Amino acid sequence: MIQNHIKISLRNLWKNKLLSTLNLLGLSIGIGSVLTLAFSVYAYYNADSNIEGQENIFYLKTVTTGGDTYKSTPYPLLNEIVKASPEVIAATHMQGWGQPWLKYGETEFQESSNYVDPDFFKIFSLPFKYGNPETALEKKYSIVLFHKISQKIFGEKNPLGETIKLNDSINLTVTGVIGDLSPYSAFRLGVLMPTKLLEDYPTFIARADWSDSFTVNFFKLKPTTDIARFESQVTALAKKNYSDPSTLSEIKLMPFSGMRSDSLPVIDTIISGSIAASVFVLLIVLINLLNLNTSTMYRRTKDIAVRKILGGNKKSIIIQFCIENGILVFASISISALLFLGFLLPKLNGIYGADFGSISFTVTNDYPVILFAIGLGLFVTLVVGILPTLRFISAPISTGIKGRIDTIKSNFLVRNSFIVLQFTIAILFICVAIILNSQIGYMKNAPLGFNKENVIVGNIDLEYKNKETATLKFNDLLNKLNADPYVKDFAVSDAIPSNYDFNYNQVYDPETDREVRTRFANTDEGYLKTLRIPLVMGRDFDEKLDSADDHPVIINRTTMKALGWNSIEGKRLKGKGSVTSGNPVVGVMEDFHYQDMQNAVEPLVHFYSNKNSLASNRFLSVRFAEGHQKSIEKLIANGFSNIDSRRKYRQENLTDKVSAQYRLIEGMLKTVNVVALLTIFISCLGMFGLISFMAKRRVKEIGIRKVLGAGVLKLIVMLSKDYIILVGIAALIAFPIAWYIMDAWLRDFAYRISLQWWMFVLSGFFALLITAFTVGIQAVKSARANPVKSLKTE
Amino acid sequence: MITITDLEKYYATEEVRTIALNKLSFKVNEGEFVAIMGPSGCGKSTLLNILGLLDDPDGGSFVFNGIEVAGFNERKRADLRKHNIGFVFQSFNLIDELTVLENVELPLIYTGVKPAERKARVDAVLEKMQIMHRRKHFPQQLSGGQQQRVAVARAVVNNPKLILADEPTGNLDSSNGNEVMDLLTELNEAGTTIIMVTHSEHDAKYSHRIIRMLDGQKVTENVLSEYVSSK
């Protein structure tokens, strides 16, 4: 019986080649993208699944009176909490400290290093390959590696007991190797070392008091803990001990499971966008199949009636249709799996890999995705196999045998609603793509307040092996730059637009006591010139007038406004708690976008630093004469090749650095673009199939109309009109939804485009154009057919 | 075998109610070959649909093999139908996606006959209809006469007690038509009851008895010899 069903299904699919191909194409592409999106969502939610009892794991978040929040607290807080709270099962600090160099034999390496307490593994059950998590960090001189690091140094051998040298001085014993975490994990870890090690560092001891927040704290609490009470307890403890309790509003307990989206809120947008996109694509694919299947049903009413007369029951007929659709669906799933592994997943990694790391698919780990695909296939098969069949199977045999379907009426409404729904989704995505595109274009092309063209930025924070010789050679290079006719300006600084540290400080005007929270950066006298940042008031730094010891500053316009100044004549700025007389303000620079356009320009203070002080500076920026980039790049690179350093010198264009700020959002745009094209493409595939069926059913009508004198154009209009109207309705539904969503999304941007009517009209027009084209091809074909022939066929 | 009494059937649209069968009564005995004639729209096909248990009457009684079947639900009708009745249509109604062999085999599959027996019975009936050599062809590859032979083969493969034929020669030329009528006669001679709707006086002559209908009612009923003599 089943064999028979399969045989007939294959013949049926073969017979309707056009329809089968359209279905196969739409399904494969649709399911392929659903798989890709679903896999990334799965990878995201599954990334930390090996960490048990996550619901009881929390980290602390500081909320200042100024409304700022950050994940760190002063170092001593954790121990106070542990002492005071019996609810704590385990607790650990986690912090980086400098960028330590590790050495094994002659191999030197620098990896993301974190210092944690022995309790770390009691809180986070990470998959140990070698070693015992309970004791791994108990001894002070131990180190735990993640597998990829261990592999790099030791290959596949078990490195337990091996010695690694930390910063050329301390011997650490490898006590554990942990299997690699998913790139989507909340942690980006390379090596873990005990916090106890830090207690030997005078710089650490100096900072590890109640005035400096730099450590992240994790807790595992008893499930019965009253979180609100615990939070207020912690806040009270902190306020009691803080050097300046007035700056602290509260300390909050945040669930570990929300840590990723807390650090990068755009992840939530990407994940929920991916889920929405998968659901929508799936919906469109389903609607296509339903509509196309329903259309074929008209042709098959007679077939169904004959089967019923010969003794076939409803069940066997439904099974027949399910098998037919099942073959199509599972063939598509196989194709989409190839598409997913060979094309879409690499593409996805290309888009988000730089920010989140590349994910890969392995059958043993990711079998739930395979189960999902099979489940999805069964679901689609049953829905599209059963739903359209039900309506037809109940029709009386006596009418069915004549191929008449006058008992089925309401179908048009259902099908038209389906088409409207499909195109609403498609137009929605097109709208989103157009608006996203405009916003990114706006951010990338908006005046930044500085000139990013023709500037090379070199990274000069290279850990020089001999600081004196390095400084000498660096000065040599600066002299060469000075002498080069093609170097227009150059500057040395510890910040560069797109790369300003989150170095916030409270400063105040000693005359008025007015306080401003600003960001600090160190620059030399060449910085404003090199970047072409205009001065509003006062003067630029001057090598002859200023010395780094005076700490003169240049502020931006926003700082001046915030301080309520009209002039900087005799003005000084003082840091909170500073005992000096403050810093002389020598100039005011125009506001420039030193961070991306999503963020507003905040108050900024530049301190004067000497050009030749390699130690405190991180960037060398050089403005070159157009057309001479290569030679200047070579000049600088050569200069650094003579200087012994642990890190390699790298340089890039400032334009690229500025653009890179939008990499993630551009990645989102790429995804949206693909989904938008996909939805419209699949919708049109469905419509194309539907129209060819409709046209076939109307062959006689078209023939009669032609005999009665209807022109080809009139017939084309007649055949296309309804669909164009449906797409128009879809556009009208999609516009307000798109407006609502994108208006809300744009609010996250300090500098944003305003939504324009043409964005919506353009997307509607685009959808209409594609529809008209799709419908048109078929309509022209039908309208031009010879009426004599068509009347005969009927 | 069949007794219908005061059988009624209406077709209603929003505005008009059309009477298709108007208190029709007659009897068909086992082994008989009955022709039903009448102009288009007189209710022949409606009658055949009800006799074939494809449709339900709106009134009256229909006794099939001693059982009152008017008011049977679809499932019961289907069950009775697949074991007792074979159909032959004017437009053949073969399933295009199935070969000759598969078309003929289909009723046996639906009645749950085992594969080995299925094969034997299909082969036998194809032999008998002289289309064995065409068993692997699809319907579109056959002539009209051959297609109708396949349809007859499909109708009889389950050894039904009753064959209902709706204009079985309507789409055929005269020589193919005669062949099909000969086939039906043979089946009838072998014991199968046949009820045939036809427009053709020629075909009607193959039957034992002719029932003439008009506007849903029986007008005359002649046994073949009377019919011939009255001419």
Side-chain angles (χ1 to χ4, degrees):
Chain A
M1 191 81 165
I2 290 289
Q3 247 176 335
N4 200 30
H5 281 317
I6 293 174
K7 190 166 63 189
I8 295 166
S9 298
L10 287 174
R11 282 184 197 154
N12 257 323
L13 291 170
W14 181 247
K15 192 174 159 196
N16 301 312
K17 281 190 243 5
L18 171 74
L19 200 71
S20 305
T21 314
L22 291 182
N23 273 336
L24 198 68
L25 204 64
L27 267 174
S28 303
I29 299 173
I31 294 180
S33 32
V34 169
L35 272 184
T36 312
L37 293 169
F39 178 60
S40 62
V41 172
Y42 168 79
Y44 177 75
Y45 283 115
N46 197 45
D48 287 321
S49 61
N50 45 13
I51 298 173
E52 289 156 19
Q54 283 192 40
E55 62 282 4
N56 301 319
I57 303 177
F58 298 89
Y59 63 97
L60 298 182
K61 192 166 180 176
T62 304
V63 183
T64 68
T65 37
D68 292 315
T69 59
Y70 38 88
K71 272 193 301 215
S72 47
T73 73
Y75 182 76
L77 179 62
L78 182 114
N79 287 337
E80 294 302 316
I81 295 172
V82 172
K83 266 190 264 168
S85 317
E87 294 97 327
V88 176
I89 297 173
T92 178
H93 293 99
M94 180 172 184
Q95 61 266 302
W97 198 258
Q99 282 177 294
W101 283 92
L102 299 164
K103 199 169 174 183
Y104 175 76
E106 284 313 301
T107 342
E108 260 195 316
F109 56 101
Q110 203 174 26
E111 293 294 344
S112 155
S113 307
N114 280 281
Y115 295 88
V116 298
D117 301 343
D119 266 7
F120 185 82
F121 296 119
K122 280 191 198 143
I123 302 174
F124 300 108
S125 47
L126 298 180
F128 265 67
K129 277 179 97 76
Y130 303 113
N132 178 358
E134 307 230 329
T135 56
L137 290 174
E138 242 167 28
K139 294 205 175 104
K140 184 173 172 183
Y141 296 103
S142 49
I143 182 167
V144 172
L145 312 174
F146 276 82
H147 181 239
K148 60 173 187 285
I149 312 291
S150 163
Q151 220 175 7
K152 215 153 70 178
I153 311 163
F154 302 105
E156 284 309 325
K157 82 169 193 188
N158 176 350
L160 289 190
E162 296 283 351
T163 304
I164 288 178
K165 203 161 217 149
L166 171 67
N167 287 333
D168 289 327
S169 53
I170 304 166
N171 282 333
L172 302 177
T173 307
V174 178
T175 52
V177 175
I178 307 172
D180 288 328
L181 302 179
S182 156
Y184 288 177
S185 164
F187 293 123
R188 293 293 170 86
L189 302 173
V191 302
L192 293 172
M193 292 171 282
T195 314
K196 271 187 212 149
L197 275 173
L198 290 175
E199 288 166 6
D200 291 347
Y201 291 40
T203 48
F204 176 78
I205 298 298
R207 278 186 68 187
D209 57 11
W210 287 94
S211 66
D212 201 345
S213 291
F214 64 82
T215 188
V216 180
N217 310 271
F218 291 105
F219 294 91
K220 188 165 206 170
L221 301 180
K222 288 180 181 154
T224 50
T225 308
D226 178 345
I227 301 299
R229 215 177 62 88
F230 191 83
E231 269 180 344
S232 55
Q233 238 177 359
V234 172
T235 305
L237 262 175
K239 284 195 169 162
K240 198 176 102 191
N241 291 296
Y242 260 47
S243 319
D244 183 3
S246 69
T247 57
L248 180 70
S249 165
E250 60 172 329
I251 290 188
K252 289 178 93 167
L253 212 56
M254 306 295 289
F256 169 71
S257 53
M259 196 166 94
R260 289 178 292 182
S261 55
D262 187 26
S263 329
L264 196 61
V266 72
I267 288 183
D268 275 343
T269 314
I270 294 176
I271 292 296
S272 50
S274 298
I275 295 174
S278 337
V279 170
F280 283 151
V281 171
L282 199 61
L283 201 62
I284 288 183
V285 167
L286 262 182
I287 289 176
N288 258 5
L289 273 184
L290 279 176
N291 270 349
L292 290 175
N293 271 355
T294 311
S295 313
T296 46
M297 282 296 168
Y298 285 103
R299 214 175 35 87
R300 293 170 76 164
T301 39
K302 201 166 170 179
D303 193 287
I304 293 175
V306 172
R307 282 170 188 279
K308 277 162 90 176
I309 289 172
L310 297 179
N313 54 17
K314 287 183 186 178
K315 201 175 95 194
S316 77
I317 292 168
I318 288 180
I319 289 175
Q320 172 71 58
F321 282 100
C322 284
I323 288 180
E324 207 170 299
N325 284 292
I327 291 175
L328 201 65
V329 169
F330 282 91
S332 304
I333 287 182
S334 315
I335 297 175
S336 67
L338 296 177
L339 209 61
F340 162 65
L341 292 173
F343 179 71
L344 292 168
L345 187 59
K347 206 93 194 148
L348 183 84
N349 280 329
I351 292 175
Y352 294 121
D355 292 282
F356 303 123
S358 295
I359 44 175
S360 58
F361 183 88
T362 51
V363 176
T364 43
N365 284 332
D366 302 315
Y367 62 88
V369 177
I370 300 176
L371 294 182
F372 166 77
I374 294 173
L376 183 69
L378 287 176
F379 170 75
V380 173
T381 302
L382 291 180
V383 170
V384 302
I386 294 175
L387 281 188
T389 321
L390 283 182
R391 318 174 59 84
F392 289 84
I393 209 161
S394 316
I397 306 176
S398 48
T399 50
I401 195 73
K402 293 182 190 127
R404 291 216 319 260
I405 31 85
D406 20 274
T407 42
I408 296 133
K409 277 177 197 152
S410 61
N411 206 33
F412 277 101
L413 185 66
V414 175
R415 192 169 47 209
N416 288 349
S417 319
F418 275 171
I419 294 177
V420 169
L421 179 62
Q422 269 187 321
F423 277 83
T424 303
I425 295 170
I427 294 170
L428 196 64
F429 276 109
I430 300 174
C431 275
V432 170
I434 290 177
I435 294 167
L436 205 57
N437 230 330
S438 311
Q439 173 66 19
I440 292 174
Y442 169 78
M443 291 195 293
K444 289 180 103 172
N445 298 317
L448 296 169
F450 65 94
N451 184 343
K452 61 182 176 173
E453 306 297 332
N454 300 331
V455 176
I456 304 166
V457 177
N459 192 332
I460 58 172
D461 176 20
L462 305 178
E463 298 214 8
Y464 302 101
K465 289 189 175 159
N466 183 325
K467 282 182 185 140
E468 285 75 37
T469 33
T471 307
L472 280 177
K473 285 180 177 172
F474 183 59
N475 281 338
D476 242 19
L477 172 64
L478 294 183
N479 288 335
K480 277 184 194 156
L481 287 174
N482 221 351
D484 195 302
Y486 300 121
V487 172
K488 291 186 160 175
D489 291 292
F490 62 95
V492 177
S493 57
D494 75 348
I496 197 82
S498 78
N499 232 325
Y500 269 68
D501 279 340
F502 291 91
N503 185 4
Y504 287 99
N505 295 274
Q506 292 293 123
V507 295
Y508 68 102
D509 176 359
E511 288 171 22
T512 60
D513 275 348
R514 199 152 162 178
E515 249 183 67
V516 179
R517 187 168 165 273
T518 75
R519 283 166 91 161
F520 284 1
N522 292 312
T523 68
D524 67 359
E525 70 282 355
Y527 190 79
L528 297 188
K529 274 189 251 77
T530 306
L531 297 181
R532 305 280 191 260
I533 300 167
L535 264 177
V536 182
M537 214 174 264
R539 62 169 176 85
D540 202 345
F541 293 135
D542 188 323
E543 211 176 352
K544 294 186 189 95
L545 299 174
D546 300 321
S547 92
D549 306 327
D550 296 341
H551 301 298
V553 297
I554 293 178
I555 58 176
N556 68 351
R557 193 193 275 272
T558 303
T559 315
M560 186 170 82
K561 253 190 240 163
L563 289 164
W565 293 348
N566 292 318
S567 138
I568 49 165
E569 199 60 47
K571 297 286 188 197
R572 287 182 163 264
L573 272 186
K574 268 186 89 166
K576 271 227 107 163
S578 154
V579 289
T580 65
S581 57
N583 308 83
V585 179
V586 299
V588 178
M589 56 189 165
E590 190 54 88
D591 281 343
F592 66 100
H593 291 279
Y594 56 90
Q595 49 184 353
D596 67 33
M597 303 281 284
Q598 191 162 355
N599 298 295
V601 175
E602 294 170 306
L604 175 69
V605 175
H606 280 177
F607 286 76
Y608 180 62
S609 77
N610 278 340
K611 257 198 172 44
N612 56 8
S613 76
L614 259 184
S616 63
N617 286 317
R618 290 161 59 207
F619 300 105
L620 166 65
S621 32
V622 179
R623 177 170 292 281
F624 54 86
E626 202 155 349
H628 295 276
Q629 177 168 6
K630 284 267 145 59
S631 65
I632 304 298
E633 273 180 357
K634 214 168 169 187
L635 174 70
I636 310 172
N638 280 342
F640 278 98
S641 65
N642 288 325
I643 310 177
D644 251 0
S645 64
R646 276 181 146 151
R647 271 196 286 268
K648 254 189 92 176
Y649 172 76
R650 281 174 297 117
Q651 57 192 6
E652 61 185 314
N653 285 330
L654 182 56
T655 333
D656 296 339
K657 281 182 86 75
V658 171
S659 297
Q661 300 178 103
Y662 304 110
R663 194 176 50 207
L664 194 58
I665 190 171
E666 279 182 296
M668 282 165 70
L669 176 70
K670 273 184 202 159
T671 326
V672 170
N673 278 347
V674 171
V675 173
L677 284 178
L678 203 71
T679 47
I680 191 90
F681 176 69
I682 301 176
S683 304
C684 281
L685 275 187
M687 189 178 264
F688 182 76
L690 205 57
I691 292 163
S692 29
F693 258 99
M694 288 295 135
K696 259 183 211 161
R697 286 188 57 223
R698 290 173 80 172
V699 162
K700 186 174 175 186
E701 181 194 340
I702 294 166
I704 295 172
R705 280 175 189 270
K706 276 187 107 170
V707 169
L708 295 177
V712 171
L713 194 66
K714 270 212 170 113
L715 288 173
I716 293 174
V717 171
M718 179 195 91
L719 287 169
S720 325
K721 194 182 66 203
D722 294 350
Y723 296 97
I724 304 283
I725 290 174
L726 290 180
V727 173
I729 294 172
L732 292 180
I733 298 173
F735 291 162
I737 302 174
W739 185 88
Y740 179 80
I741 296 174
M742 292 318 278
D743 187 58
W745 183 74
L746 282 173
R747 279 172 212 273
D748 284 346
F749 292 83
Y751 305 93
R752 56 181 176 256
I753 51 166
S754 51
L755 293 176
Q756 304 286 335
W757 61 268
W758 64 261
M759 297 170 179
F760 299 97
V761 171
L762 184 67
S763 61
F765 179 73
F766 181 64
L768 272 179
L769 196 73
I770 295 182
T771 314
F773 178 72
T774 314
V775 177
I777 296 175
Q778 192 58 43
V780 169
K781 202 173 125 197
S782 316
R784 290 183 58 190
N786 182 351
V788 177
K789 228 176 173 179
S790 57
L791 283 176
K792 240 187 190 164
T793 20
E794 265 298 280
Chain B
M1 181 183 216
I2 288 173
T3 311
I4 58 172
T5 322
D6 294 338
L7 205 64
E8 287 180 311
K9 180 77 186 173
Y10 311 108
Y11 291 114
T13 62
E14 274 166 37
E15 284 138 32
V16 205
R17 196 168 105 141
T18 321
I19 299 173
L21 296 178
N22 189 2
K23 299 211 176 286
L24 185 69
S25 306
F26 64 80
K27 248 177 141 173
V28 175
N29 296 318
E30 198 155 348
E32 249 191 315
F33 188 159
V34 178
I36 298 172
M37 297 192 74
S40 289
C42 72
K44 306 184 298 284
S45 292
T46 306
L47 174 64
L48 210 64
N49 282 341
I50 291 173
L51 292 180
L53 299 167
L54 301 179
D55 214 347
D56 216 14
D58 292 323
S61 145
F62 172 20
V63 176
F64 183 86
N65 261 352
I67 308 162
E68 174 61 59
V69 294
F72 261 32
N73 64 19
E74 168 62 24
R75 201 180 51 77
K76 278 179 157 175
R77 278 192 274 144
D79 203 46
L80 202 63
R81 185 169 66 224
K82 70 179 170 189
H83 289 107
N84 295 293
I85 306 173
F87 291 84
V88 178
F89 302 94
Q90 175 178 1
S91 51
F92 325 134
N93 282 337
L94 298 174
I95 294 177
D96 291 343
E97 286 73 33
L98 300 183
T99 60
V100 165
L101 190 138
E102 287 158 354
N103 260 294
V104 176
E105 193 185 21
L106 202 55
L108 298 178
I109 292 177
Y110 286 138
T111 41
V113 176
K114 297 254 154 29
E117 191 190 339
R118 258 185 354 231
K119 190 180 177 308
R121 274 164 69 175
V122 171
D123 282 355
V125 76
L126 289 179
E127 267 324 336
K128 192 167 155 194
M129 300 293 157
Q130 297 171 354
I131 38 173
M132 192 61 181
H133 60 294
R134 293 280 191 171
R135 67 187 183 283
K136 287 194 175 148
H137 288 69
F138 286 94
Q140 311 88 291
Q141 298 168 304
L142 305 180
S143 73
Q146 286 169 328
Q147 286 191 48
Q148 194 60 302
R149 286 221 297 274
V150 176
V152 174
R154 188 178 66 179
V156 302
V157 73
N158 242 345
N159 296 325
K161 296 189 179 73
L162 172 67
I163 286 182
L164 297 174
D166 191 356
E167 301 270 6
T169 63
N171 281 4
L172 302 176
D173 60 30
S174 61
S175 101
N176 273 314
N178 286 341
E179 266 185 48
V180 168
M181 286 318 297
D182 288 337
L183 263 176
L184 289 177
T185 310
E186 268 177 51
L187 288 169
N188 176 246
E189 279 163 3
T192 313
T193 311
I194 294 177
I195 301 177
M196 173 178 77
V197 162
T198 183
H199 272 113
S200 152
E201 298 286 354
H202 171 81
D203 288 355
K205 283 184 204 152
Y206 286 86
S207 69
H208 305 155
R209 180 156 62 105
I210 298 172
I211 296 173
R212 288 179 184 272
M213 286 179 67
L214 186 67
D215 296 339
Q217 284 175 307
K218 184 172 76 181
V219 216
T220 54
E221 188 175 339
N222 349 41
V223 174
L224 193 63
S225 54
E226 293 169 11
Y227 171 65
V228 172
S229 64
S230 73
K231 271 212 94 156

